[in-house]
Amino acid sequence: MRIELPNSGRRTSTHLKMMAASLANAIVFHWAYVTFVAPEWEFFRFTYATPSLERILLAYIGVVFPSLLLPSDIDRPSHLVLLAIYLVIYVPSQIVCALSANLANGDFVRVSLALICALVLLVASASFRWPKPRIKASSASAFAIFLVTVTVGITAYLAMMFHTQMQLVSFSDVYAQRSAFDTANTNGANGYLITWLTCVMVPALIAFGLSRHRKMLVVIAIGCQLVGYAIGAAKAVALATPIYFAVYYLVQRRTRRLGLAAIWAATGLLGGSVLFWTFMPDAGRVLCTIVSVRLFGIPGLLTEAYYRFFASNPW
């Protein structure tokens, strides 16, 4: 086992580029929060109070300097996980808590420092290079049989239980499909089975099939994923499959500077959605809500809510 930080061997220019991209991301989310999120979604408990200069500086420092620990090149899946956590959870949490009217200055300092420490721990945990285990061909085949048996078994059971409600629907009709599933579901365990199928077994089967170049395993996994979507109509289930392939492709390519590009892409997506809403309010509202509220805003709001809850209920 050895330790290898994601930023080891990086040039000073790359450090500066990562810091600039992170600063731009924080500024754009700050603007999106003040312009759209807080005013339009105040009923969702997004609040805003003009922060002091010291408070907003602490938030920006908490966003920019930890970016020095982030990978600019993607060498393994843990690097993608770090980037996703940083962009979707860490940065929104720093900015939302800094702008929240519900947190006093002392509370925000504690939240900000806790977030920084948590990110450092995540980077440290992702920096360990564990020796790759040697797996015998017989063990790999046995594991493949286990994955296929469990995945297909759960899928067959769910299809048998909900075959009258199964339907591949568009995203605009998912709520009606979910309602049909909730009405037909009389056993709470079935909901857990769908979650295990679509979020655990299918991703494991796809990952194993791709890594071992077994196309049939991937085909079986995609079929089971479609059944899970046809029953529960979770949009994340439909969107997850292409993400699995994208992650595999990026990790296999060991894409250079993908970390930097990902930060700029997230910044552009966020800023573009708000601009679209600004100039075309009716047409742009849905996109702006999905990006600025659901993708980035809610994780920050949850961080604030969890802090306030546990501050009042420590035990």
Side-chain angles (χ1 to χ4, degrees):
M1 181 187 71
R2 60 192 176 92
I3 299 177
E4 182 179 315
L5 290 174
N7 63 343
S8 58
R10 187 189 296 174
R11 295 180 177 180
T12 303
S13 61
T14 305
H15 283 290
L16 295 176
K17 289 176 182 177
M18 291 291 288
M19 293 175 66
S22 300
L23 178 61
N25 184 263
I27 292 173
V28 170
F29 182 73
H30 185 164
W31 169 64
Y33 188 89
V34 174
T35 304
F36 178 79
V37 178
E40 298 292 325
W41 289 82
E42 185 179 5
F43 68 93
F44 214 68
R45 306 205 176 199
F46 285 104
T47 61
Y48 174 73
T50 304
S52 63
L53 178 61
E54 295 82 1
R55 179 162 170 161
I56 200 62
L57 280 178
L58 176 60
Y60 278 75
I61 291 171
V63 168
V64 172
F65 283 97
S67 68
L68 297 174
L69 301 174
L70 296 177
S72 59
D73 300 336
I74 301 301
D75 295 324
R76 41 189 153 140
S78 60
H79 290 170
L80 286 172
V81 174
L82 277 176
L83 284 171
I85 291 174
Y86 178 80
L87 291 171
V88 178
I89 300 175
Y90 181 82
V91 175
S93 295
Q94 287 279 10
I95 300 303
V96 169
C97 291
L99 302 180
S100 172
N102 296 322
L103 295 180
N105 288 335
D107 293 322
F108 170 69
V109 171
R110 284 187 283 272
V111 172
S112 182
L113 293 178
L115 287 169
I116 293 172
C117 291
L119 185 66
V120 170
L121 288 175
L122 285 174
V123 171
S125 65
S127 300
F128 286 99
R129 282 278 191 178
W130 299 96
K132 185 179 294 186
R134 295 180 179 179
I135 302 175
K136 296 180 180 179
S138 58
S139 300
S141 298
F143 185 62
I145 293 172
F146 166 77
L147 284 178
V148 171
T149 301
V150 175
T151 305
V152 173
I154 295 175
T155 304
Y157 167 78
L158 292 172
M160 181 180 64
M161 294 295 296
F162 301 101
H163 64 278
T164 57
Q165 285 80 33
M166 286 177 55
Q167 187 177 0
L168 291 174
V169 297
S170 65
F171 283 178
S172 59
D173 297 324
V174 293
Y175 298 107
Q177 181 67 11
R178 292 176 193 173
S179 178
F181 166 72
D182 292 336
T183 301
N185 184 23
T186 57
N187 185 353
N190 292 329
Y192 287 102
L193 279 178
I194 290 181
T195 302
W196 270 90
L197 173 67
T198 57
C199 299
V200 179
M201 300 309 302
V202 166
L205 191 56
I206 290 177
F208 188 83
L210 290 174
S211 63
R212 295 283 171 167
H213 305 288
R214 299 186 182 182
K215 297 180 181 179
M216 184 53 64
L217 298 183
V218 177
V219 172
I220 293 172
I222 293 174
C224 294
Q225 190 84 323
L226 288 174
V227 172
Y229 175 73
I231 295 173
K235 288 181 283 189
V237 171
L239 296 172
T241 303
I243 293 176
Y244 300 147
F245 286 96
V247 169
Y248 175 77
Y249 173 79
L250 293 173
V251 172
Q252 287 295 106
R253 286 284 304 273
R254 295 180 180 270
T255 309
R256 291 181 57 81
R257 301 294 180 264
L258 180 65
L260 183 62
I263 297 176
W264 281 116
T267 304
L269 177 64
L270 182 60
S273 67
V274 177
L275 285 174
F276 185 33
W277 169 77
T278 301
F279 292 105
M280 303 180 66
D282 295 332
R285 184 176 179 81
V286 173
L287 176 62
C288 194
T289 298
I290 292 174
V291 174
S292 63
V293 178
R294 297 197 63 172
L295 182 59
F296 295 105
I298 288 180
L301 180 65
L302 288 175
T303 299
E304 178 205 326
Y306 277 121
Y307 172 81
R308 290 193 291 115
F309 176 82
F310 287 109
S312 303
N313 303 275
W315 306 110

